[in-house]
Amino acid sequence: GPRFDYDPSSLVAQNLLTYSQEFDNAAWGKSLVSISANTDIAPDGTLTADRFVSVGGSFPQISETPTLQAGDYTFSLWVRSDGTTQIAQAILLDGTSQAFTPTSTWTRVIVTKTGVAAGSRGIVIATNSGAAAASSFYIWGAQLNRGSTVLPYTATTTAPYTLTTARGLLIEEQR
């Protein structure tokens, strides 16, 4: 009989953000931050990681505001130090935050929020201080998915992406 090369019921991919690797795009609002595009090798081996450069001040940040259905959501972002002195940073999902300090190793920072209300909700990458010094670090692969578990990263450009049915290679015996 037919055989799948994976469990088709377990495959789901979703990223509700746009321009998930292009933080210099206008889809990402910026306050006291500039983005230098494609300045480092990303976790997937491509030259697509951007440099987040904060001038300092009160909570320098970039953000997107997707419109969501009510439910649980998980936001994740890959981060790495650019070799400069690092200070506390944070990612936020509708006000729920996860602090981090970039290190020399690519790390996926994850925050989950249960009970998100329907409507426009803020996704923020920020310096975690109301009086922050200037800082910079590399970012790549922003992802927002429904549910309380982070999914494998899926890149997006002009539109969010959701895969609700399994796709893959079906292997059948010769007929």
Side-chain angles (χ1 to χ4, degrees), residues 32 60 65 78 98-99 108 115 119 125 131 150 154 174:
L32 303 174
T65 310
W78 290 89
Q98 177 61 55
R108 194 173 194 188
I125 305 163
V150 67
T154 301
Q174 185 174 358

Side-chain angles (χ1 to χ4, degrees), residues 128-147:
N128 201 17
S129 173
S135 64
S136 60
F137 59 100
Y138 295 118
I139 57 177
W140 181 82
Q143 179 163 302
L144 176 66
N145 62 263
R146 191 165 181 139

Side-chain angles (χ1 to χ4, degrees), residues 4 15 30 37 48 50 57 60-61 75 86 94 99 117 119 125 128 133 147 152 166:
F4 286 95
N15 193 344
K30 296 159 193 73
T48 52
D50 291 354
Q61 62 187 267
F75 172 46
Q86 295 299 309
D94 192 31
I125 305 163
N128 201 17

Side-chain angles (χ1 to χ4, degrees), residues 9 18 31 48-49 56 58 93 105-107 113 115 127-128 143 146:
S9 65
T18 58
S31 174
T48 52
S58 183
L93 166 54
T105 303
W106 280 108
T107 304
K113 182 166 184 179
T127 299
N128 201 17
Q143 179 163 302
R146 191 165 181 139

Side-chain angles (χ1 to χ4, degrees), residues 16-38:
L16 299 173
L17 300 175
T18 58
Y19 300 98
S20 62
Q21 295 176 188
E22 300 172 51
F23 301 97
D24 58 322
N25 188 281
W28 288 93
K30 296 159 193 73
S31 174
L32 303 174
V33 169
S34 65
I35 298 294
S36 299
N38 303 329

Side-chain angles (χ1 to χ4, degrees), residues 114-134:
T114 57
V116 172
S120 296
R121 298 290 170 239
I123 303 300
V124 180
I125 305 163
T127 299
N128 201 17
S129 173

Side-chain angles (χ1 to χ4, degrees), residues 67-73 116-119 146:
T67 300
L68 305 176
Q69 298 174 356
D72 301 343
Y73 289 88
V116 172
R146 191 165 181 139

